Amino acid sequence: MKNECLNCACVMRSMQSLKNCQLEQLENNHAVVQFRKGDSIIKQGMFSTNVVFLKSGLVKIHITGPYHEQIVRLAKAPTYLGLPTTIGDKINQYSVTAVQDSEVCFIDLNIFKRVLEENKDFSSYIILELCKSELESYRRCASRTQKQTRGNLADVLIDLSENVFESDEFVLPISQSDIGNLVDASRESVNRLLSELMNDGIIRMEGRKIEILNKNSLQLISQNG
Amino acid sequence: MKNECLNCACVMRSMQSLKNCQLEQLENNHAVVQFRKGDSIIKQGMFSTNVVFLKSGLVKIHITGPYHEQIVRLAKAPTYLGLPTTIGDKINQYSVTAVQDSEVCFIDLNIFKRVLEENKDFSSYIILELCKSELESYRRCASRTQKQTRGNLADVLIDLSENVFESDEFVLPISQSDIGNLVDASRESVNRLLSELMNDGIIRMEGRKIEILNKNSLQLISQNG
DNA sequence: AATATTTTGTGATATGTATCACTTTTTCGA
DNA sequence: TCGAAAAAGTGATACATATCACAAAATATT
């Protein structure tokens, strides 16, 4: 267990500034847990007493909307999960569920807050992360509402390819109905649009395996709907 | 000028913890500016070197989307404006425009950051604010995309009445086309729906003056579309 | 006060997507 | 490995809302 934190991406970025005693505090107050695909990591409505850091894997962040559950975004390791929902409110304001097997580190909230207070650089780093993520959420929301489904779907495919899997060929980590949810469309629409992309030779699909054949076209679709 | 900051809501919440020397730093590095209705306070794409605090007035926060400018939300004083866009990126990632005459305090970003680093309570407070605002933006986006226009419009009216003006009777601070933008609908749809609300006796309108006659119905509409 | 500009009001029509209904395929658990 | 459940595929239909096209009213501007 000793020095586990030292090598964890959780502290890596601010490591140079974390003192040994602070590292030790983290060492003694964290727990690493394995989650299987489909497992719930953070559940909206429950008390949150831990900061959650995704060490490996892929998750979806989702929130209960006025009519139905809605996927806000996918998040891949390494990243903090639910920083806002943990610090901003005692009760989780959204849920996080593994969409691939994941490894998660739970850090006691009080310890985390103490380290945050004791370490300027660390708190600066967290503030910066929070700011960026809020900006990102504004952008995402604007896209989602302005673009029509075709464009949003293209965005999801591009995002999966470029940011999540870093390859033109990958296996869809979520169902078509989840994709629909993520782009504010019905499962049927997603299906029809995917077929269309196949017919147009822009992607190739075999089951959930997808290959992007023409990224250019996809980007055009992203831009022009 | 001396002690101006002491009475400003900007520091009020963390005042007990701001040391005199920190207050003095703020005193010497801020500027209060008046804005008229329609004036641009923060402009997307420009360098940001100041933290902006809205002392009085009402503003709209808007962002350039893929197709058109979109209003993210209204914000009323007292509140920080563009904390994420100032700290998260050197270039403003969204715009802020006064929709009513407003008084704004600009604080040098470096000074602000220094105070942030020197003062635990202040940085805790800012972190908390950022977290809450991100949660809020998730919620808002989910509502916006799931509800249909009628429900979103009802929400805007309720928000204006309860949070902004704290009265059942108020003057719409933005045009119908801005309202449309805010609820992801066309100006025409907003107009038609407002007429409908009038005909149903739920609101009364004379020009931009609105009176909410039946808040209950409005809340039902907010819930059920 | 007179004119230009923005905002509002309202019908007719077009359209993207949801919804429904059903089948086929794939995945998962006992 | 077999049966059940979940996911995917596809047509027909419905509907909320955009868009277009003007007219009327209200607000700025000189």
Side-chain angles (χ1 to χ4, degrees), chain A residues 68 133-134 137 141 146 223, chain B residues 67-68 133-134 137 141 146:
Chain A
H68 54 81
S133 117
E134 186 168 347
S137 92
C141 186
Q146 283 182 34
Q223 280 158 38
Chain B
Y67 294 115
H68 53 82
S133 120
E134 186 167 346
S137 93
C141 186
Q146 283 183 33

Side-chain angles (χ1 to χ4, degrees), chain B residues 152-169:
Chain B
N152 282 323
L153 179 60
D155 280 339
V156 168
L157 294 180
I158 292 171
D159 180 51
L160 287 173
S161 157
E162 293 190 347
N163 305 321
V164 179
F165 298 108
E166 297 174 22
S167 158
D168 283 351
E169 214 172 335

